[in-house]
Amino acid sequence: MKNGSRLATLGGVVVAGALALSACGSDNNSGSSASEAPKGNIDCAKGTVNAAGSSAQKNAVEEWSKLFAAKCAGANLNYNPAGSGAGIASFNSGQVSFAGSDSALKPPEAAAAQKRCQGSPALNLPMVVGPIGVVYNVDGADSLKLSPETLAGIFAGKIKTWNDPAIAKENAGAKLSGPIKPIYRADESGTTENFTKYLKATAPGAWTWEPAKKWPNGVGQGATKSDGVSAQVKSTKGAISYVELSFATNNSLKTADIKNGAGEYTKLSPETASKAVAGAKVVGTGNDVALKIDYTTKEPGAYPIVLVTYEIACEKGLPAEQSKFVKSFLTYTSSADGQKILTNLGYAPLPDSVLTKVQGSVKALS
């Protein structure tokens, strides 16, 4: 196993061990206490394991790591929130034991992952529902309402001012003005991929680009990682962007109400996000639990812009000590104890229909 310094080259900061996780802190300001450490029977593993990937799940992984270490003395996880693309690349090159990703592996990535797993498939294991908030920094609207068409028009560069008729029509009585300043993720990101999937699915007339981890047009200004996007929006008057609920909450950013397929402008919350994911279809085979989200959901009260963040893990093929650690850790994160901490961190827990499948797949890791 490569050491933590190698991971630093991926562009993130490696958090070393449970004590450092607690001291350096996630962006979460209302984390769980040590009393919420897992109470059930866990086949604890010892040692240090490296993982990397999604910055969307950083706050969840850091809290899980802290509580897991409180239960399993000597178990340390170094998680580098380098972004989904970098995490998958690091996993496929053998630098880390598992990866976090905001989208399931694509066929070329899956082929490389199977080779890395000594011929065994790499499983996509949903672990966190990460609602994507449309965050903004403009005076005159404490509760901004946006339809998919208007949102796509903004990020396509067609709607350029806050007093555009399309925005005014959806926000009667609001007094908005000034230029719109879109902020996008500059690094490869599963959050970007999910956001562009949403735009393509719901407003294909206004959004003509294909979904991608890399922001596909030159509209706006780029910022790196979820932390960078949040900071840029907070410091820029007229800004609008997309970021996970946990980062919006922790940075006190306003989130827009988004019109869903049922015609409702829905507020962002863990509960409304879970309603959208409950209707997702499992498209993976065997123990793979890759999901397809219905961004056009007509489920009443469902907030439609969500991502499911996965752990990418070898079904078989890891060295024994790494395999035991990964299985032990993911057994905890997919348990009731692991899932119950997510809401306070700005995430949504997996719906029971999905969680049951994930727990069965984790048991199959060896």
Side-chain angles (χ1 to χ4, degrees), residues 246-258:
S246 58
F247 289 89
T249 301
N250 295 332
N251 289 279
S252 301
L253 298 174
K254 296 177 182 177
T255 58
D257 300 348
I258 302 299

Side-chain angles (χ1 to χ4, degrees), residues 271-298:
E271 293 75 24
T272 59
S274 282
K275 287 183 179 181
V277 176
K281 294 181 179 179
V282 176
V283 294
T285 58
N287 287 313
D288 185 77
V289 197
L291 300 175
K292 182 177 181 180
I293 304 295
D294 179 11
Y295 297 106
T296 62
T297 178
K298 295 182 179 179

Side-chain angles (χ1 to χ4, degrees), residues 327-351:
K327 183 172 184 176
S328 178
F329 182 70
L330 298 185
T331 296
Y332 161 55
T333 64
S334 63
S335 70
D337 281 340
Q339 290 288 302
K340 74 181 181 182
I341 72 166
L342 293 175
T343 300
N344 287 340
L345 297 173
Y347 301 100
L350 291 170

Side-chain angles (χ1 to χ4, degrees), residues 228-249:
V229 170
S230 301
Q232 191 73 18
V233 171
K234 195 166 188 176
S235 64
T236 305
K237 285 294 183 182
I240 186 170
S241 191
Y242 55 96
V243 72
E244 302 79 18
L245 173 59
S246 58
F247 289 89
T249 301

Side-chain angles (χ1 to χ4, degrees), residues 34-312:
S35 64
E36 292 188 71
K39 299 176 177 63
N41 293 326
I42 291 180
D43 185 13
C44 284
K46 293 184 178 181
T48 297
V49 159
N50 294 329
S54 164
S55 61
Q57 64 174 251
K58 182 189 78 167
N59 296 339
V61 173
E62 289 185 356
E63 192 69 11
W64 278 332
S65 299
K66 181 174 66 176
L67 297 176
F68 183 70
K71 171 72 174 182
C72 298
N76 297 315
L77 174 67
N78 295 333
Y79 185 75
N80 180 9
S84 298
I88 291 171
S90 180
F91 175 76
N92 286 347
S93 64
Q95 296 182 50
V96 296
S97 298
F98 69 92
S101 177
D102 301 334
S103 56
L105 294 172
K106 291 181 171 56
E109 295 170 333
Q114 185 165 0
K115 185 178 293 185
R116 183 263 191 274
C117 296
Q118 308 298 315
S120 176
L123 303 181
N124 298 286
L125 302 173
M127 207 59 69
V128 180
V129 177
I132 301 174
V134 175
V135 292
Y136 61 97
N137 181 356
V138 63
D139 296 327
D142 289 330
S143 182
L144 185 67
K145 296 179 174 61
L146 295 172
S147 66
E149 294 78 14
T150 301
L151 188 60
I154 290 171
F155 283 94
K158 299 172 184 176
I159 297 175
K160 299 182 179 181
T161 61
W162 283 107
N163 60 354
D164 187 279
I167 298 176
K169 183 179 179 180
E170 298 181 68
N171 294 273
K175 297 179 180 180
L176 301 169
S177 63
I180 297 176
K181 300 175 182 177
I183 309 293
Y184 59 84
R185 277 284 292 268
D187 53 320
E188 285 197 358
S189 162
T191 308
T192 294
E193 183 174 19
N194 281 272
F195 185 62
T196 53
K197 279 181 179 178
Y198 166 79
L199 295 176
K200 185 68 173 178
T202 58
W207 187 261
T208 58
W209 295 270
E210 291 301 315
K213 285 187 174 73
K214 188 76 173 177
W215 186 251
N217 64 34
V219 175
Q221 180 179 347
T224 303
K225 302 180 186 175
S226 301
D227 285 318
V229 170
S230 301
Q232 191 73 18
V233 171
K234 195 166 188 176
S235 64
T236 305
K237 285 294 183 182
I240 186 170
S241 191
Y242 55 96
V243 72
E244 302 79 18
L245 173 59
S246 58
F247 289 89
T249 301
N250 295 332
N251 289 279
S252 301
L253 298 174
K254 296 177 182 177
T255 58
D257 300 348
I258 302 299
K259 190 176 183 180
N260 63 19
E264 304 171 331
Y265 289 94
T266 310
K267 292 189 179 298
L268 172 58
S269 72
E271 293 75 24
T272 59
S274 282
K275 287 183 179 181
V277 176
K281 294 181 179 179
V282 176
V283 294
T285 58
N287 287 313
D288 185 77
V289 197
L291 300 175
K292 182 177 181 180
I293 304 295
D294 179 11
Y295 297 106
T296 62
T297 178
K298 295 182 179 179
E299 179 69 23
Y303 179 85
I305 316 178
V306 295
L307 63 81
V308 173
T309 179
Y310 297 85
E311 311 309 334
I312 310 297

